[in-house]
Amino acid sequence: MKPEYKNWMPKGMVLTGVAVTAVFALLFIIFGLTGIVSGTLKTVLFVVFLAVTVIGLCVSFWMLHLYRAFSYNGSRQLSKQIIEGIAEYVKVPDGGKGLDVGCGSGALAIACAKRNPNASFIGIDRWGKEYASFNKPLCERNAKAEGASNVSFDRGDATDLDFEDETFDAVMSNYVYHNIPGGRQAILMETFRVLKKGGTFAIHDAFNKLKYGDMKPFVKKLKDLGYERVEMIDTTDGKFMAKKEATWLGLGGSALLVGKK
């Protein structure tokens, strides 16, 4: 039995993009290149269907590139590289507990559980319709396949965690908060709320200013609150990917927010 961590770019989305592009390409041929219509209408249809087809080709190519990059079984294996890279920062004492916010298919929670066999981990996610193939049974199957018996999974909301203050010895997450509408810095603070004093955190996300605002004052705020070794580590300088690749993949501003409460 092998784990199946799926792909951040769903195969169905790629196939849908290709299919829609093919339909518009066919319409372009029928109405833009044949004599079925003529005059001004033909010119308009020619321009419209050609433009949509070109856009569709570009988007389909981009999605296919993402699918190949994020595949666990492909040559790039970017997802696996990122997961293992984050897990290196997660240290949980024996008997301690760790939380993975937005666990998806369970990859990060499982990687951390395997590195900290004497601690327990829980991964939470809302498993929305955007990623219909990601769910709790999938996470549990992956944990079983990896032999990680010290991890469990449940449904949860990153904006309102169903845990008491200072419950966990470590909290981690990977490319989650930038997908959630609203104040992302406030969502980060909700995550830190459930982290014990002395606990560690490793949050990887696309921390661009458009979605997060300026993170420098936020890092200073954490330090002023007594957090230790708070650091933003750029992961687009070769750590996980190059800046050019990050931009092409739509992951500009990716960084690891790590430290100790």
Side-chain angles (χ1 to χ4, degrees), residues 49-206:
F49 288 139
L50 176 60
V52 175
T53 299
V54 171
I55 293 172
L57 286 171
C58 292
V59 173
S60 296
F61 179 74
W62 176 72
M63 290 193 298
L64 180 60
H65 184 76
L66 261 67
Y67 182 81
R68 294 178 63 184
F70 292 142
S71 173
Y72 267 77
N73 301 317
S75 58
R76 179 64 178 88
Q77 295 188 335
L78 178 59
S79 296
K80 184 176 182 179
Q81 181 183 354
I82 291 173
I83 290 298
E84 294 298 332
I86 300 170
E88 290 179 2
Y89 290 88
V90 179
K91 310 294 183 184
V92 181
D94 290 356
K97 296 188 295 184
L99 172 69
D100 176 16
V101 180
C103 62
S105 59
L108 180 56
I110 292 170
C112 293
K114 292 175 68 176
R115 287 174 175 268
N116 299 268
N118 296 317
S120 62
F121 289 81
I122 180 171
I124 64 164
D125 204 305
R126 71 181 185 87
W127 293 302
K129 61 182 180 180
E130 303 91 338
Y131 292 90
S133 62
F134 290 66
N135 50 60
K136 181 178 178 179
L138 172 65
C139 293
E140 293 172 340
R141 289 195 302 271
N142 286 336
K144 184 177 181 179
E146 294 277 18
S149 60
N150 57 328
V151 59
S152 61
F153 303 92
D154 205 352
R155 187 173 292 277
D157 181 355
T159 66
D160 186 18
L161 296 172
D162 191 23
F163 301 105
E164 298 291 334
D165 294 355
E166 300 192 6
T167 298
F168 298 95
D169 298 278
V171 292
M172 71 274 335
S173 185
N174 181 41
Y175 282 137
V176 173
Y177 305 102
H178 75 279
N179 288 316
I180 305 174
R184 278 101 182 169
Q185 293 187 14
I187 300 172
L188 284 172
M189 293 307 298
E190 170 64 6
T191 297
F192 295 149
R193 176 185 67 78
V194 303
L195 181 63
K196 292 180 181 179
K197 180 65 177 178
T200 58
F201 55 89
I203 310 293
H204 186 236
D205 204 2

Side-chain angles (χ1 to χ4, degrees), residues 237-252:
D237 62 353
K239 184 175 181 63
F240 295 154
M241 66 198 97
K243 290 188 183 298
K244 184 177 181 180
E245 182 181 26
T247 300
W248 168 244
L249 294 175
L251 300 175

